[in-house]
């Protein structure tokens, strides 16, 4: 049975803010960008990475099945794009740091954490970046900064992001207004898997869109300031729900609790929305703090995790889609404490 990343299982549950990530895009000076580079041209770079990252687990994507790749995506260790054209990945012990080789750029360094500040996570990513730069000649221009395959990443090559649980803003139809305001300042709200993905369980990824003409410290400072404003708006909306729409809020929360406690089949979208309601109920004090581990369950109900669970149980089924929906419901019944 697939296990969630140790850094997620060890994280404390707090309202609104779930986790943070720093991603650095880097390229090797003498090589064409990934969409043009040939395998034989990358041999020296890969040998250098193998030697420099000997303390990381090396994952060859060509040796993985589709389900194994999907599992890495669901853990946020690789991107959906990387499953299609990626080469290698390097992952540390607690799966809080990973390096993708030949995604959109030659090297994508990312560090994640649930209880660390963005500044602390950046320090982890930057230390690894320095370690690699000592062995590789990065493509860097004195005027433009780090050169990347996509113009939007030129400059610092840094994308900082924060996962936020925003059920009150979502249910109160304020998300679009918040998103529009962010776009004016070069920031965006996306789904849990970044660009092109949709929000799941009212979870949004707040990130910067621009990397040129700004320092790493400036990007992180601005993102932190915007995060605090969004959290303030979410808390304000929760207060309105708690006071002006108390019965409606409680009805929605406890309906979700009842459904997950007793359902025998459930889709990913429905399960995520009900988990979101229950997490909101915990944050508002309607339910005990140990009712659910929200961040863990949002990962465990994903398709690849459920398929791995099915495989480990050696269950026979006619329809995989039905079996996944039924097993997802069984997992949630176990976790919520209802009928097995």
């Amino acid at each position: 049975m697939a296990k969630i990343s140790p850094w997620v299982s060890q994280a404390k549950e707090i309202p609104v803010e779930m986790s943070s990530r720093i991603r650095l895009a880097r390229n090797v000076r003498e090589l064409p960008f990934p969409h043009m580079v040939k395998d034989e041209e990358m041999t020296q770079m890969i040998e250098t990475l193998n030697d420099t990252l000997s303390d990381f687990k090396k994952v060859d994507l060509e040796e993985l099945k589709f389900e194994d790749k999907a599992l890495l995506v669901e853990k946020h260790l690789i991107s959906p794009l990387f499953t299609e054209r990626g080469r290698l990945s390097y992952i540390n012990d607690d799966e809080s740091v990973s390096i993708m080789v030949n995604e959109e750029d030659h090297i994508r360094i990312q560090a994640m954490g649930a209880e660390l500040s963005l500044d602390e996570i950046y320090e982890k990513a930057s230390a690894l970046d320095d370690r690699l730069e000592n062995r590789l000649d990065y493509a860097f221009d004195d005027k433009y900064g780090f050169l990347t395959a996509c113009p939007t990443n030129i400059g610092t090559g840094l994308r900082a992001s924060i996962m936020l649980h925003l059920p009150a803003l979502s249910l109160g139809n304020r998300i679009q207004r918040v998103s529009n305001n962010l776009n004016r300042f070069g920031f965006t709200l996306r789904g849990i898997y970044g660009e092109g993905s949709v929000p799941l369980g009212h979870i949004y990824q707040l990130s910067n869109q621009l990397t040129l003409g700004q320092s790493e410290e400036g990007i992180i400072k601005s993102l932190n300031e915007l995060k605090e404003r969004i959290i303030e708006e979410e808390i304000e909306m929760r207060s309105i729900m708690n006071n002006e729409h108390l019965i409606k809020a409680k009805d929605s929360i406890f309906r979700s609790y009842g459904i997950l406690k007793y359902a025998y089949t459930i889709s990913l979208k429905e399960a995520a929305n009900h988990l979101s309601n229950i997490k909101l109920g915990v944050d508002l004090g309607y339910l005990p703090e140990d009712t659910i581990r929200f961040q863990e369950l949002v990962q465990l109900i994903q398709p690849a995790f459920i398929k791995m669970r099915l495989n480990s149980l050696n269950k026979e089924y006619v329809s995989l889609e039905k079996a996944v929906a039924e097993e997802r419901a069984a997992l949630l019944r176990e976790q919520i404490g209802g009928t097995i």
Side-chain angles (χ1 to χ4, degrees):
M1 188 181 300
K3 295 182 179 179
I4 62 173
S5 300
W7 73 268
V8 176
S9 63
Q10 296 162 11
K12 293 180 181 178
E13 291 276 322
I14 62 173
V16 189
E17 189 172 354
M18 295 175 62
S19 63
S20 300
R21 185 191 71 175
I22 291 289
R23 192 207 70 197
L24 301 173
R26 301 290 186 257
N27 289 280
V28 176
R29 186 182 298 277
E30 66 270 16
L31 294 179
F33 286 127
H35 64 283
M36 296 289 289
V37 73
K38 298 176 182 178
D39 286 350
E40 57 268 24
E41 293 178 298
M42 297 185 64
T43 302
Q44 182 59 54
M45 184 187 79
I46 291 173
E47 288 178 357
T48 302
L49 289 173
N50 288 341
D51 182 51
T52 309
L53 301 170
S54 58
D55 53 330
F56 280 64
K57 177 185 176 182
K58 179 182 175 182
V59 180
D60 188 338
L61 263 70
E62 293 181 356
E63 297 177 358
L64 297 184
K65 297 177 182 177
F66 174 81
E67 291 80 4
D68 297 314
K69 294 179 184 179
L71 191 68
L72 292 176
V73 172
E74 291 175 6
K75 288 185 173 187
H76 301 281
L77 292 169
I78 65 174
S79 66
L81 173 66
F82 194 62
T83 64
E84 300 172 8
R85 66 185 191 195
R87 178 76 179 270
L88 296 170
S89 180
Y90 298 86
I91 303 169
N92 75 338
D93 288 340
D94 72 349
E95 299 185 341
S96 64
V97 178
S98 67
I99 298 97
M100 291 180 282
V101 180
N102 234 33
E103 197 231 30
E104 190 175 61
D105 295 287
H106 294 142
I107 297 169
R108 287 281 177 95
I109 300 167
Q110 66 169 23
M112 300 175 284
E115 295 177 66
L116 301 174
S117 68
L118 265 180
D119 294 282
E120 291 171 311
I121 296 172
Y122 172 67
E123 287 177 10
K124 287 179 64 176
S126 183
L128 181 56
D129 185 36
D130 291 342
R131 184 170 152 190
L132 294 179
E133 191 172 17
N134 286 333
R135 300 290 306 277
L136 297 169
D137 183 17
Y138 281 162
F140 184 86
D141 181 85
D142 289 338
K143 181 178 180 180
Y144 296 108
F146 291 101
L147 304 180
T148 56
C150 179
T152 59
N153 289 320
I154 289 174
T156 61
L158 180 147
R159 288 294 176 101
S161 61
I162 303 171
M163 288 287 194
L164 299 171
H165 180 224
L166 305 173
L169 286 173
S170 299
L171 297 171
N173 297 318
R174 286 199 187 183
I175 278 293
Q176 192 57 55
R177 179 183 62 79
V178 171
S179 181
N180 291 341
N181 287 338
L182 288 170
N183 290 337
R184 291 165 48 207
F185 297 103
F187 292 83
T188 185
L189 279 180
R190 293 181 171 133
I192 63 173
Y193 296 117
E195 189 171 358
S197 65
V198 296
L200 189 66
H202 304 132
I203 299 170
Y204 295 83
Q205 186 182 115
L206 170 66
S207 64
N208 64 300
Q209 291 181 297
L210 304 176
T211 63
L212 183 64
Q214 303 178 67
S215 67
E216 291 87 348
E217 294 77 11
I219 292 171
I220 291 170
K221 181 176 182 292
S222 296
L223 192 67
N224 277 325
E225 289 173 352
L226 289 170
K227 174 200 73 176
E228 293 301 329
R229 292 181 194 174
I230 293 172
I231 289 177
E232 286 176 8
E233 288 199 45
E234 172 68 18
I235 297 301
E236 180 186 345
M237 281 299 295
R238 292 185 184 193
S239 178
I240 292 172
M241 289 177 66
N242 211 15
N243 292 301
E244 299 178 19
H245 308 285
L246 179 60
I247 298 301
K248 184 178 180 181
K250 282 189 171 182
D251 182 70
S252 178
I253 290 163
F254 285 100
R255 278 178 185 270
S256 289
Y257 181 78
I259 288 171
L260 295 192
K261 192 172 181 179
Y262 296 109
Y264 273 76
T265 180
I266 195 163
S267 69
L268 173 61
K269 182 178 179 180
E270 184 184 5
N273 286 338
H274 289 311
L275 283 172
S276 173
N277 282 342
I278 292 174
K279 170 61 174 163
L280 178 61
V282 171
D283 292 344
L284 292 176
Y286 301 154
L287 291 166
E289 289 186 7
D290 61 355
T291 302
I292 59 168
R293 294 274 300 166
F294 180 58
Q295 190 154 230
E296 285 186 27
L297 283 175
V298 168
Q299 274 201 359
L300 289 174
I301 63 172
Q302 301 289 325
F305 272 96
I306 298 297
K307 289 173 186 175
M308 293 289 187
R309 177 181 164 97
L310 279 170
N311 292 340
S312 69
L313 296 172
N314 294 316
K315 288 190 175 182
E316 295 184 4
Y317 51 83
V318 176
S319 166
L320 178 58
E321 184 178 355
K322 282 184 61 179
V324 167
E326 290 169 5
E327 197 57 41
R328 182 180 291 115
L331 167 68
L332 290 168
R333 291 198 307 274
E334 293 172 10
Q335 295 293 322
I336 303 300
T339 306
I340 303 300

